[in-house]
Amino acid sequence: MSDYEKMKRTWEADVEKTTQRFPERKEKFQTSSELLIDRLYAPDKENDTYNEKIGFPGQYPYTRGIQPTMYRSRYWTMRQYAGFGSAEETNERFRYLLEQGQTGLSVAFDLPTQIGYDSDDPMADGEVGKVGVAIDSLKDMEQLFDQIPLDKVSTSMTINAPASILLAMYIAVGEKQGVAPSKLTGTIQNDILKEYIARGTYIYPPKPSMRLITDIFAYCQENLPKFNTISISGYHIREAGSTAVQEVAFTIANGMAYVDAAIEAGLEVDQFAPRLAFFFNAHNQFFEEAAKFRAARRMWAKIMKEHYGAENPKSWKLRFHTQTGGSTLTAQQPDNNIVRVTLQALAAVMGGTQSLHTNSRDEALALPTEESARIALRTQQIIANESGVADTIDPLAGSYYVEALTDEIEKEANAYLERIQKLGGAVQAVEEGFMQREIHSAAYEAQKRMEAKEDIVVGLNEFKVDEEIHADLLRVDEALERSQIEKTKQVREGRNEAAVEETLSNLRNAAKTTENVMPHIVQAVKQYATVGEIANILREEFGEYTGM
C-alpha cells in the first residue's frame, strides 16, 4: 500500500470517529444545481508534493486543517469582541449577541483594566469604560456574566499584563455559579511579547512577565484543563503595520519563546502545548490571507514535532482565532467596511479558522452600535449558511496560486525565524528592537504606496465623495466614570479588610520567591481585592517596564 493510500485510509477512519461525536450538519451536501459536494477533494493517485506538504485534514502537517471533517460537522465559533462602559451595559450586549446566534463571548476591557489600574486611580482619569468594559473587582466580573452560564459558554478575554488577575476573577465567578474550574472553557490572550512589539499595554519587565505566563500554564494544567492558557497574537503585529509574512514569523517566534520559557520552568511540552492557541488578523488580500493561515499551521506543526520533540499530535496543532482587520477600515464611506469585512472573514474561513470575530462598519469612528454589531455577526452567519464554502474541506487546496503562496509565505517566514534565532530568540529580538524596526519599515512603505496611489483604498485615496460624519455613533456616558468609582468605593467599604490584607501579603511573599502566584491571586480576588491592588503588589516586587 502506498503512503498516499495509508494517509487516505487513516483520514477516513478519523472521519468516522469524528462524525460519531459530531455528526455532519446535513445528510447530503449539494450545490443549488443539486450537484453533490464531496467531503474532500484530493489527487486521485500518489503525489509526493501532496503527501509531504498538503496531506489530509486532521493529519500532520495540518496544511488542510486540524480536524478531519472541519466545518462539515461544526462551524467555527462566532465570537464577537465586545465591551464598553460598565459591566451591566456589556452584559446586556453579550446577552443580545447570544440571542442573535453568537456562539462564544469575547471580552474587551478598558485601558485602565488592561494596564492594571482601578477606575479611581489618577492614571485612569478620562479612560474608564471608553475602549472596553471597566473591571475593578470581582463584583464587576459577577455583573459582567450575570445570567450567562459559564459551563455552557466559551469566553475569550483580551487581557495580557493582568491576565492572571482576570482569569482568577473568571474562576471565582464560575465557582459562584456552581461551575468547577475544570469545566470552564475559553482563552486568555496572555501574550505579553507582542505588547512590547506592537501594542503597549505592558506593566512589568519581560522576565517577570514570562514568569507570570508560565505560572498560569502550570496552574491551568492542574485546575483548568479545558482552558486555553495563551492566545499568541499576530493580530496586533499586523495592526501595527507588519506584512503577512512578518505576522506569521513574529507570532511563531513569540510562540517558541513561550514554549522555551515553559520548558525552562520545568513543564513537559506535551503537558502544556495542547492548550496553546493563536490569534491572527485577516486583511483584504484574499488569497494571501488564506495561504497565510495554511502556512502558519504547517510551520507550527513542524516546529513542535521536529524542534521540540512533542509526541502528542494535539501539541502539533495550531488552533487559531481570527479577527478581521481593524486598520483596514475607513472613517470615509463606512458602509464600504461591510464589504471589506466580508472578504476578510471569507479568507479566514477558507484558511480554516477555529473561531472568528467580524469587525463592525463604524469601528473607524467609534465603538460599534448594536445594529452594526448585528450586521457584523450576520456576515458570519451568511458565509456559514448561504455561501456553501463550508460544505467541503479546504476548497482552495490544489490551486497553483494558493499552494505557491503557501510555500512562499512559509519560506519567507522561516527566513525571519532564522534571523530571530541568531539574535537569541524572540525575547532578545524584542529587547533589541528588531521586530519593531521591521514593522515600522513595512508600515512606512505601505503608507508611501497608499499616498502615491500605487495601492488604492476605496473612499480614502480614490473614489471619494463629499459626506458628513456618521451621526449614529455609540458614545460612552461621561457619568459612567463617576458611577464606576463609587461602585469600587462601596466594594472596598463592604469587604473584610483584614482578609484582603492577608491575601495580598501572601501574594507579595510568593512573588519574592519562585512559588506559583496564581493560587494567591485567586484567593485575593475572592476577598474582593481589586485589579489595581493586586497589580500594584506585583509592580512593587517586579518593577515596571518603561520601554527600550
Side-chain angles (χ1 to χ4, degrees):
M1 186 186 299
S2 70
D3 290 342
Y4 176 79
E5 283 298 324
K6 289 177 184 176
M7 292 169 63
K8 186 175 181 181
R9 290 193 181 186
T10 300
W11 171 70
E12 288 169 346
D14 289 342
V15 167
E16 188 171 343
K17 290 178 189 174
T18 303
T19 52
Q20 286 174 359
R21 292 182 61 211
F22 306 108
E24 291 196 339
R25 293 181 283 109
K26 304 173 186 176
E27 289 186 12
K28 181 170 63 174
F29 290 80
Q30 59 186 19
T31 70
S32 60
S33 303
E34 298 187 359
L35 303 174
L36 291 180
I37 302 171
D38 288 343
R39 183 184 285 117
L40 185 75
Y41 292 85
D44 294 328
K45 57 185 179 180
E46 186 83 21
N47 181 315
D48 289 339
T49 299
Y50 185 86
N51 291 350
E52 294 174 11
K53 288 187 176 181
I54 305 172
F56 286 85
Q59 290 184 30
Y60 181 88
Y62 305 105
T63 308
R64 301 201 67 179
I66 63 169
Q67 302 298 345
T69 57
M70 290 301 288
Y71 309 136
R72 292 268 291 212
S73 292
R74 292 193 299 174
Y75 291 127
W76 58 94
T77 301
M78 299 179 192
R79 191 189 299 281
Q80 291 299 107
Y81 185 49
F84 63 93
S86 67
E88 295 92 336
E89 287 176 297
T90 301
N91 174 265
E92 287 181 18
R93 175 64 63 85
F94 281 168
R95 286 161 61 190
Y96 170 79
L97 288 169
L98 290 170
E99 288 168 2
Q100 296 300 313
Q102 179 172 302
T103 52
L105 298 177
S106 184
V107 187
F109 297 96
D110 74 353
L111 191 57
T113 304
Q114 291 183 49
I115 51 178
Y117 291 112
D118 293 330
S119 297
D120 58 354
D121 192 293
M123 291 292 288
D125 187 29
E127 292 292 342
V128 176
K130 289 294 177 67
V131 299
V133 60
I135 301 292
D136 292 332
S137 73
L138 180 57
K139 180 71 172 176
D140 294 318
M141 207 69 158
E142 291 166 357
Q143 292 169 336
L144 183 64
F145 293 103
D146 182 42
Q147 300 180 60
I148 297 174
L150 299 191
D151 57 342
K152 294 182 173 62
V153 172
S154 169
T155 303
S156 172
M157 293 185 279
T158 301
I159 195 72
N160 296 285
S164 55
I165 306 171
L166 275 298
L167 176 60
M169 289 183 176
Y170 194 75
I171 293 167
V173 171
E175 289 181 351
K176 282 179 175 287
Q177 290 187 4
V179 180
S182 61
K183 299 290 179 63
L184 296 173
T185 60
T187 305
I188 44 171
Q189 192 162 102
N190 198 25
D191 174 7
I192 202 63
L193 290 176
K194 66 91 176 49
E195 296 296 326
Y196 304 124
I197 296 169
R199 193 162 178 262
T201 61
Y202 45 72
I203 302 175
Y204 320 110
K207 189 172 181 179
S209 293
M210 296 294 277
R211 178 255 179 103
L212 285 173
I213 289 169
T214 56
D215 278 1
I216 290 171
F217 285 3
Y219 183 83
C220 290
Q221 179 185 314
E222 296 295 325
N223 299 280
L224 284 82
K226 296 182 178 180
F227 214 87
N228 296 327
T229 50
I230 194 168
S231 178
I232 304 156
S233 176
Y235 181 85
H236 307 93
I237 290 170
R238 193 68 179 279
E239 290 291 280
S242 81
T243 65
V245 166
Q246 289 170 342
E247 180 188 358
V248 171
F250 298 166
T251 305
I252 287 180
N254 289 348
M256 293 175 71
Y258 296 126
V259 173
D260 290 337
I263 292 171
E264 188 176 336
L267 300 178
E268 296 289 336
V269 66
D270 282 322
Q271 291 178 325
F272 66 85
R275 301 316 305 173
L276 304 180
F278 287 77
F279 174 24
F280 288 113
N281 207 312
H283 270 225
N284 290 331
Q285 287 277 335
F286 176 83
F287 290 108
E288 182 180 44
E289 295 302 298
K292 175 187 77 179
F293 301 129
R294 299 170 87 247
R297 204 160 38 231
R298 190 159 74 200
M299 288 175 65
W300 186 248
K302 290 178 181 178
I303 287 167
M304 294 308 295
K305 184 179 181 181
E306 298 172 12
H307 181 75
Y308 289 107
E311 297 178 356
N312 185 348
K314 291 182 179 178
S315 300
W316 308 336
K317 295 181 179 181
L318 185 146
R319 298 170 299 117
F320 69 98
H321 169 75
T322 308
Q323 181 173 339
T324 56
S327 62
T328 69
L329 306 184
T330 62
Q332 297 82 0
Q333 302 176 44
D335 284 350
N336 291 347
N337 294 327
I338 298 173
V339 182
R340 294 186 177 102
V341 167
T342 302
L343 282 170
Q344 295 163 5
L346 188 59
V349 171
M350 298 292 260
T353 193
Q354 276 59 69
S355 68
L356 177 61
H357 164 85
T358 32
N359 287 330
S360 299
R361 59 183 172 175
D362 47 7
E363 289 190 46
L365 295 162
L367 291 169
T369 63
E370 194 171 89
E371 180 188 11
S372 293
R374 185 178 67 248
I375 292 170
L377 176 58
R378 293 287 183 260
T379 301
Q380 294 199 49
Q381 292 166 335
I382 289 168
I383 290 172
N385 293 284
E386 298 185 28
S387 71
V389 299
D391 289 349
T392 190
I393 304 165
D394 190 22
L396 293 180
S399 157
Y400 296 125
Y401 181 41
V402 171
E403 297 301 351
L405 271 177
T406 302
D407 291 348
E408 191 67 16
I409 291 170
E410 181 180 18
K411 175 186 171 185
E412 294 297 322
N414 274 325
Y416 261 119
L417 285 180
E418 288 178 13
R419 294 172 68 184
I420 291 166
Q421 292 307 306
K422 285 179 181 177
L423 290 171
V427 176
Q428 186 68 27
V430 168
E431 290 177 341
E432 293 185 14
F434 169 73
M435 298 186 210
Q436 296 93 313
R437 289 193 299 273
E438 291 293 305
I439 293 169
H440 294 165
S441 177
Y444 175 65
E445 292 301 322
Q447 181 67 22
K448 285 202 302 183
R449 290 194 303 272
M450 191 271 290
E451 291 178 358
K453 293 190 179 182
E454 294 173 15
D455 291 345
I456 299 299
V457 180
V458 174
L460 181 63
N461 65 354
E462 194 62 275
F463 311 113
K464 296 183 282 189
V465 297
D466 293 330
E467 58 184 333
E468 295 182 4
I469 294 296
H470 203 283
D472 184 22
L473 299 175
L474 177 65
R475 304 187 189 281
V476 176
D477 191 339
E478 296 297 330
L480 164 81
E481 186 165 329
R482 296 189 296 274
S483 173
Q484 183 66 21
I485 289 171
E486 180 60 30
K487 186 201 297 184
T488 303
K489 177 183 176 183
Q490 291 173 3
V491 167
R492 290 199 182 99
E493 290 173 349
R495 67 191 184 181
N496 183 332
E497 203 61 37
V500 172
E501 289 302 321
E502 181 181 359
T503 59
L504 291 177
S505 176
N506 292 339
L507 172 61
R508 185 185 297 278
N509 292 335
K512 292 177 184 293
T513 69
T514 58
E515 183 183 355
N516 193 316
V517 297
M518 270 301 297
H520 301 291
I521 294 174
V522 171
Q523 291 306 312
V525 302
K526 287 181 178 179
Q527 296 300 329
Y528 291 86
T530 66
V531 169
E533 290 166 343
I534 295 170
N536 283 339
I537 292 290
L538 299 178
R539 276 189 177 93
E540 291 165 12
E541 297 305 320
F542 295 160
E544 285 191 81
Y545 185 70
T546 56
M548 292 170 51

